[in-house]
Amino acid sequence: MSNLIYLDHAATSFPKPPEVYEQMDSFYRRAGVNPGRSGYDLCMEAGAMVDETRTMLAGLFGGRDPDRLCFGYNATDALNLVLFGILRPGDHVVSTLVEHNSVLRPLHHLSRDGVEVDLVPFDADGFVDPDSIRKKIKSNTRLVVVNHASNVIGTVQPIREIGRMCREAGVVFAIDSSQSAGTVPIDVEEQFLDAVAFTGHKSLLGPMGIGGLYVREGIEIRHTRAGGTGVRSIEKSHLPEYPFRLEYGTPNVCGIAGLRAGLQWILSRGMGAINAHEMKLARILRDGLAAIPGVTLYCQEALENHIAVLSFNVVGLDAGDVGTMLDVDHDIACRTGLHCAPLVHVQIGTDKIRGSVRFGIGPFITEEQIQKAIAAIGEIAELGRRRARPGAR
Ligand SMILES: Cc1ncc(COP(=O)(O)O)c(C=O)c1O
């Protein structure tokens, strides 16, 4: 690879640990058959690998029943299953302004069909107050759904407090763990979670196209799809029991093999150690950027309850232009714009200036790369400051 500094880990982790590529290749070559559909050895091997990964993921989320871990394409797919599978016309749902479009757009579609939607804001540090959600709960509230960690401002929401409050109110609580799974502890039991939607290709270090949903015992999600499950084919309806209930058709065996390798890599290093490395670099990055005149950061100083995702802007320049300069002049890849979370920008006012520049740090990023990124923003900000001077063109 070139000298590229890849700071777009919030979009997808890249590169993956070598084992992910190796195991996808070797498993798919050796046993890439339809799992659980027949009794021959390879089929059993593929089925066992899928179930082993189910068990590992359920364990990562503190779930008691691996069968309630259902595989799908990604977090968007899983969130659609939850939202359309729980909410009906006349129901009320509470969510937040920190959500990604994978929640906002399904909720918008549901609102056109008679579902009442309330979105609560976050505070000046980027945190949602559980009390602001509690105040919205009413007799027809069926669901609260919250983005655990923001892909724009990096804040980790107090899901345990929100979960406890929802449990007491008898409302289902679902989280979008796209940015947190694999880097922030998640525990279905301890944090009072009813559904956890995850995507495999970010901090879980797996490939794209694999994700899913853990659903706690006692929470039932209506079928919004139906199809083959490979077992009890004579039944006219889609099977009601988990995991079949929320799995449809042939699973992504190659993706699951890669996700298993990603998980093994995380477990062997320790999630805490990976997070500590990323947050150490986030600290250096934040302090370095904060010291550059003309840089506006959208995160608190302390970086408490935070993931290694930082957003900022440079005076006098569009976020998109900063991204282009980083790419062309400095070989740094990042994301600019609204990051599929438009209401975060509406709340912090960056919607009017076409969003922000986002740096996302992954496990293979080094301090030297972070220092280069800070120096690059230093140079770009100097140009921005000249442009911003009165009378400058
Ligand atoms: C907070 C959040 N939710 C949901 C998603 C959607 O993930 P996927 O595209 O893998 O479904 C993303 C991805 O950017 C995200 O950051």
Side-chain angles (χ1 to χ4, degrees), residues 312-333:
F312 61 95
N313 271 309
V314 175
V315 69
L317 295 170
D318 257 17
D321 291 339
V322 175
T324 305
M325 287 184 237
L326 284 167
D327 174 27
V328 175
D329 300 334
H330 301 276
D331 217 359
I332 294 174

Side-chain angles (χ1 to χ4, degrees), residues 129-364:
D129 179 358
D131 218 38
S132 67
I133 295 182
R134 189 186 54 76
K135 284 185 185 139
K136 294 286 180 196
I137 290 180
K138 47 188 187 171
S139 58
N140 61 338
T141 309
R142 289 271 291 131
L143 178 70
V144 169
V145 54
V146 171
N147 179 4
H148 189 194
S150 169
N151 58 313
V152 182
I153 49 176
T155 44
V156 177
Q157 301 304 332
I159 54 168
R160 183 168 191 273
E161 288 70 22
I162 300 170
R164 186 206 293 271
M165 182 267 297
C166 289
R167 191 67 55 86
E168 281 164 11
V171 173
V172 177
F173 179 42
I175 64 160
D176 169 4
S177 77
S178 296
Q179 294 289 338
S180 57
T183 185
V184 180
I186 294 174
D187 193 310
V188 171
E189 295 302 322
E190 209 257 328
Q191 294 170 319
F192 308 98
L193 311 177
D194 294 318
V196 177
F198 66 94
T199 200
H201 66 100
K202 297 185 194 266
S203 291
L204 288 170
L205 305 180
M208 297 172 183
I210 186 69
L213 187 66
Y214 185 85
V215 185
R216 197 177 61 84
E217 301 89 322
I219 307 295
E220 296 309 344
I221 296 178
R222 215 167 54 245
H223 292 127
T224 45
R225 298 177 197 159
T229 46
V231 295
R232 305 223 311 276
S233 299
I234 199 70
E235 306 266 332
K236 285 197 172 130
S237 301
H238 198 87
L239 301 186
E241 70 267 23
Y242 287 84
F244 305 112
R245 188 182 183 97
L246 298 179
E247 289 185 352
Y248 308 88
T250 303
N252 179 358
V253 168
C254 186
I256 295 171
L259 179 54
R260 181 180 65 161
L263 276 166
Q264 283 166 341
W265 193 90
I266 292 168
L267 297 176
S268 70
R269 263 92 187 153
M271 201 168 74
I274 298 169
N275 179 269
H277 168 74
E278 293 175 353
M279 288 312 294
K280 183 180 136 218
L281 298 184
R283 173 85 267 152
I284 295 168
L285 179 62
R286 195 215 173 271
D287 293 346
L289 293 180
I292 301 172
V295 170
T296 304
L297 272 159
Y298 305 106
C299 63
Q300 18 111 298
E301 207 275 324
L303 290 187
E304 256 168 44
N305 296 316
H306 224 277
I307 53 169
V309 172
L310 301 182
S311 262
F312 61 95
N313 271 309
V314 175
V315 69
L317 295 170
D318 257 17
D321 291 339
V322 175
T324 305
M325 287 184 237
L326 284 167
D327 174 27
V328 175
D329 300 334
H330 301 276
D331 217 359
I332 294 174
C334 69
R335 172 117 183 235
T336 64
L338 299 181
H339 320 291
C340 293
L343 301 185
V344 176
H345 294 278
V346 171
Q347 186 174 328
I348 65 178
T350 40
D351 58 319
K352 295 175 198 69
I353 53 169
R354 287 180 278 281
S356 61
V357 185
R358 180 184 72 186
F359 282 167
I361 297 169
F364 300 118

